[in-house]
Amino acid sequence: MTGKIDIESPNTLARIAAVLFLIVVAMGITVEVFFLGGILVPGDATVTVNHLIASETLFRTTVFGYLIRHVLLALLALVTYKLFKPVDKNVAGLMVVFALLSTAINMLNELNYFAALQLAVGADTFTAIGAGQVQDLVMFFLKMHDYGAAIPTIFSLWIALLGYLAFKSRFVPRILGGWMMIGGIAWTALAIPLVSPSFDPTYFGLFAFAGEVVFYLWLLIRGVKTT
């Protein structure tokens, strides 16, 4: 007779967090590469609008998938809060506040995608403006989505706070906690294009993402050290 899984144990919480993270990453890559990559064509309004019209159901499903992904990110923050609350309850609480603010902004930002889609598929109903203007508005809302996605990166400090808690707890090697702290700050660089559009934050994002991957893989494979 097998025993029950203790979902309150640190190692169980660590592995739940890791699985949530990996699901979020898999969903993000799938959506960006296999779905949106074939629909949205940067700089080509005509082709993009035609793709939106031809792939309306797929696009709606894709945006819905994004919403689910944001919910899973919120759950990830709550699970890590439960895991690291004994280390410092106040810091863990602030971490969750930042994470949930980021999630809320991201979910509201998906309205820009729905606005672009509504303009594309309902172009015939916008009789007051021409087809060319409809296409321009579609691209405008898609661009606004890009800007909207940059805003919540300011609250990526929740990842730095998670790194601090991990570093202080010694649940994982301190180097991983330190990497997460620096990575959380690096994520905020993705907001710099809001004030300096020519700035390319790609390398900051890659550094931060790599740190998260290593951190959560450690939680999945090795778990946490509690003694």
Side-chain angles (χ1 to χ4, degrees):
M1 184 174 181
T2 59
K4 293 182 179 179
I5 297 175
D6 182 7
I7 62 172
E8 297 290 327
S9 75
N11 273 306
T12 300
L13 291 171
R15 291 189 167 96
I16 290 173
V19 169
L20 284 171
F21 174 80
L22 293 175
I23 292 173
V24 165
V25 170
M27 290 180 68
I29 293 174
T30 300
V31 167
E32 290 290 340
V33 176
F34 298 104
F35 294 154
L36 288 185
I39 298 175
L40 307 181
V41 182
D44 196 324
T46 301
V47 172
T48 295
V49 169
N50 288 336
H51 283 177
L52 286 171
I53 294 172
S55 308
E56 179 182 355
T57 300
L58 176 61
F59 189 75
R60 288 184 183 277
T61 303
T62 297
V63 178
F64 182 75
Y66 264 134
L67 295 175
I68 297 299
R69 183 173 180 268
H70 298 322
V71 171
L72 292 178
L73 277 170
L75 289 176
L76 172 61
L78 293 174
V79 172
T80 53
Y81 167 79
K82 195 167 184 64
L83 175 61
F84 289 102
K85 181 176 66 171
V87 180
D88 190 320
K89 186 176 181 179
N90 292 328
V91 173
L94 183 60
M95 175 191 74
V96 171
V97 169
F98 279 9
L100 294 183
L101 283 171
S102 175
T103 297
I105 295 171
N106 271 316
M107 294 187 80
L108 286 173
N109 185 42
E110 302 308 332
L111 288 173
N112 283 308
Y113 269 159
F114 280 119
L117 179 64
Q118 189 61 35
L119 280 165
V121 301
D124 292 341
T125 65
F126 296 98
T127 56
I129 54 179
Q133 291 173 305
V134 168
Q135 292 178 356
D136 289 341
L137 284 172
V138 168
M139 300 305 286
F140 168 78
F141 279 109
L142 293 177
K143 186 64 177 178
M144 288 300 295
H145 184 275
D146 291 341
Y147 279 118
I151 293 173
T153 60
I154 297 171
F155 296 103
S156 293
L157 287 173
W158 82 269
I159 298 171
L161 295 174
L162 174 57
Y164 166 78
L165 291 168
F167 184 88
K168 186 177 179 181
S169 70
R170 296 177 182 259
F171 283 178
V172 298
R174 281 192 156 190
I175 189 173
L176 297 183
W179 194 348
M180 287 284 283
M181 280 192 283
I182 299 172
I185 296 171
W187 273 127
T188 65
L190 272 67
I192 294 178
L194 292 172
V195 294
S196 179
S198 62
F199 178 79
D200 184 1
T202 300
Y203 292 110
F204 289 90
L206 289 174
F207 172 82
F209 177 68
E212 288 190 80
V213 170
V214 174
F215 177 79
Y216 285 107
L217 284 178
W218 183 281
L219 292 186
L220 180 66
I221 298 170
R222 299 292 298 272
V224 295
K225 183 179 180 182
T226 56
T227 57

